[in-house]
Amino acid sequence: MLTLFGVRNQRRSSRPLSVGDMDYLEPKTKNNLLGKLLLLASLVILAIIVISRSSSFTSPSVFSQREEGVTHVLVTGGAGYIGSHAALRLLKDSYRVTIVDNLSRGNLGAVKVLQGLFPQTGRLQFIYADLGDPAAVEKIFSENAFDAVMHFAAVAYVGESTLYPLKYYHNITSNTLGVLEAMARHKVKKLIYSSTCATYGEPEKMPITEDTPQVPINPYGKAKKMAEDMILDFSKNSDMAVMILRYFNVIGSDPGGRLGEAPRPELREQGRISDACFDAARGFIPGLQVKGTDYKTSDGTCIRDYIDVTDLVDAHVKALQKAQPRKVGIYNVGTGKGRSVKEFVEACKKATGAEIKVDFLPRRPGDYAEVYSDPTKILRDLNWTAQYTNLQNSLQVAWRWQKIHPHGYASY
């Protein structure tokens, strides 16, 4: 007759006792068996926990799988000024969004705002990473199923680019190459590239069309043109859908007051004129410095085409919707109207209600006299035109956010 374990112990002291046709174990043996069973159960539970926590056995993230009816967009530089506004618009339009940013120029607070607005699973994820790290870029693309990339990530100050040109070529040109290579390896089919009017340099003829010769005069514009050239060369033998948007001087902020522009304090010297104007209005700096009054323009100051960030991200979304395989679209994104720096300063004074001291200084290296767009092509092809064209109103919207957030996103 077999015991519970199938082997009869022959030693007398531990011999099972028989009652009828059934054996039963003595109490000491029974306790040993119970201990073994508990140990075995514990080991099984431990194994389940280890396996469940192993990355190879976890349930796949929704971001790693394509889902019918859902477009997953990678927004590089999505913690920055323009990128965060683009992410907001995409999320409002029910896109799935992954933000990648190294926070060297972006703000984690902007990401937190977006996470608070869209907390639902599968809507938004943030990845802290540097696009200059090939291993990090490969990991991002291998672990996520992207349908499209909006590539905003870049350093973007003309003056700074003249001081640190290699930084700009690395950050803009080299990093764009890395993103493009990863897209090709992982078969991501749409690229919306954030370029700039700085690629045109100082054209002899205004307004600027997409056929205006590109002769950039500063490292920022040169690095962006190199990136464009790489994309165009690659697209000749690829079925990728590509849109290149060359936009002009960006102002404004989210009309809902959720996002704004908050540049690093150490970059104020290099920043946009709107940032300097607001800093002067709040007393953070003693006044506004206008660099260059001897340009061949109506009042001697530079003329620029100021595009509201809300219009700009609308152009990106329309470009994403219209992008076609094996085709490249190149578009200027501007209002088609140039405004002088002096005009801008007066509009800023009215928007803020502040008396702003203005100092007129020599030209800044790398600047050009006059730049404004001809938006005919983007209207024809994408049915896009700027809606927020009142300079003072755009500045008032941005000023409201600045007043509420005097230290940017520091409170988030």
Side-chain angles (χ1 to χ4, degrees):
M1 186 182 300
L2 296 179
T3 64
L4 181 63
F5 293 103
V7 178
R8 183 183 294 276
N9 192 323
Q10 299 298 318
R11 293 181 60 188
R12 184 177 182 86
S13 61
S14 59
R15 179 182 178 274
L17 301 178
S18 179
V19 178
D21 291 330
M22 300 181 63
D23 289 341
Y24 72 93
L25 300 182
E26 293 177 330
K28 182 178 179 180
T29 307
K30 187 174 181 179
N31 289 339
N32 288 341
L33 174 59
L34 182 61
K36 289 177 181 178
L37 288 173
L38 290 173
L39 177 61
L40 180 61
S42 299
L43 290 172
V44 169
I45 293 170
L46 180 62
I48 291 171
I49 292 172
V50 170
I51 290 172
S52 67
R53 291 183 178 178
S54 171
S55 60
S56 59
F57 285 89
T58 53
S59 300
S61 162
V62 292
F63 293 93
S64 68
Q65 302 175 87
R66 286 192 167 83
E67 185 177 335
E68 187 176 352
V70 177
T71 302
H72 184 184
V73 182
L74 167 61
V75 180
T76 70
Y81 169 44
I82 300 170
S84 62
H85 281 77
L88 174 61
R89 170 62 188 274
L90 289 168
L91 289 162
K92 285 170 65 178
D93 288 359
S94 299
Y95 288 85
R96 176 172 291 159
V97 174
T98 292
I99 290 174
V100 171
D101 203 300
N102 67 359
L103 301 179
S104 63
R105 300 287 166 96
N107 292 279
L108 185 59
V111 177
K112 291 180 178 179
V113 169
L114 294 172
Q115 289 172 331
L117 293 170
F118 302 95
Q120 303 87 353
T121 301
R123 296 303 320 281
L124 170 66
Q125 68 170 338
F126 170 68
I127 300 173
Y128 173 76
D130 191 325
L131 296 180
D133 181 349
V137 173
E138 175 59 25
K139 180 177 172 63
I140 289 165
F141 277 84
S142 64
E143 294 182 355
N144 293 277
F146 299 123
D147 298 297
V149 174
M150 282 190 181
H151 184 31
F152 293 100
V155 285
Y157 294 121
V158 167
E160 185 189 42
S161 78
T162 65
L163 298 173
Y164 308 105
L166 297 184
K167 176 179 183 176
Y168 273 67
Y169 291 121
H170 177 81
N171 181 274
I172 294 172
T173 312
S174 178
N175 287 3
T176 298
L177 175 60
V179 169
L180 193 61
E181 288 175 330
M183 290 180 68
R185 283 195 304 271
H186 295 276
K187 297 179 173 54
V188 182
K189 297 301 186 182
K190 287 186 179 183
L191 171 63
I192 313 301
Y193 182 61
S194 166
S195 193
T196 171
C197 65
T199 63
Y200 294 115
E202 197 164 13
E204 296 178 359
K205 185 179 177 182
M206 287 291 139
I208 294 174
T209 72
E210 288 78 3
D211 295 324
T212 297
Q214 290 177 288
V215 189
I217 64 173
N218 52 61
Y220 171 57
K222 292 175 182 178
K224 282 287 189 178
K225 184 180 183 300
M226 287 182 184
E228 282 192 21
D229 289 342
M230 285 191 310
I231 294 168
L232 293 173
D233 286 341
F234 170 75
S235 67
K236 292 174 184 176
N237 297 298
S238 167
D239 61 356
M240 188 180 292
V242 175
M243 292 289 202
I244 295 173
L245 302 184
R246 297 171 184 158
Y247 43 89
F248 290 68
N249 294 69
V250 188
I251 60 171
S253 63
D254 167 40
R258 293 158 292 191
L259 297 171
E261 184 176 13
R264 301 285 190 209
E266 65 272 17
L267 293 170
R268 282 197 166 103
E269 284 283 326
Q270 307 293 345
R272 306 175 202 274
I273 184 174
S274 55
D275 299 327
C277 184
F278 295 148
D279 283 347
R282 291 181 295 185
F284 287 180
I285 57 177
L288 189 61
Q289 296 180 339
V290 174
K291 297 179 180 179
T293 59
D294 58 348
Y295 291 99
K296 293 180 181 180
T297 60
S298 59
D299 61 18
T301 62
C302 293
I303 289 179
R304 296 290 183 266
D305 188 340
Y306 296 99
I307 176 76
D308 192 286
V309 68
T310 302
D311 282 329
L312 179 60
V313 299
D314 182 56
H316 280 78
V317 172
K318 282 187 166 61
L320 178 62
Q321 294 168 344
K322 297 280 188 177
Q324 297 296 319
R326 296 176 295 281
K327 291 186 179 180
V328 178
I330 300 176
Y331 299 99
N332 291 333
V333 187
T335 65
K337 183 177 181 180
R339 309 286 184 88
S340 76
V341 171
K342 282 186 178 178
E343 285 183 86
F344 187 97
V345 171
E346 289 306 310
C348 189
K349 287 180 177 179
K350 291 176 182 177
T352 61
E355 277 300 320
I356 299 172
K357 179 177 177 290
V358 181
D359 293 322
F360 295 97
L361 303 175
R363 296 185 185 189
R364 182 174 62 177
D367 270 342
Y368 23 82
E370 188 175 29
V371 176
Y372 60 94
S373 71
D374 178 352
T376 301
K377 184 182 178 185
I378 193 170
L379 172 61
R380 182 189 69 225
D381 292 358
L382 305 187
N383 193 31
W384 178 92
T385 188
Q387 302 296 317
Y388 297 84
T389 57
N390 185 301
L391 187 59
Q392 184 177 328
N393 287 349
S394 290
L395 292 172
Q396 282 175 332
V397 169
W399 175 240
R400 281 201 299 268
W401 190 88
Q402 295 284 335
K403 284 197 299 182
I404 297 170
H405 305 88
H407 303 290
Y409 291 101
S411 60
Y412 288 94

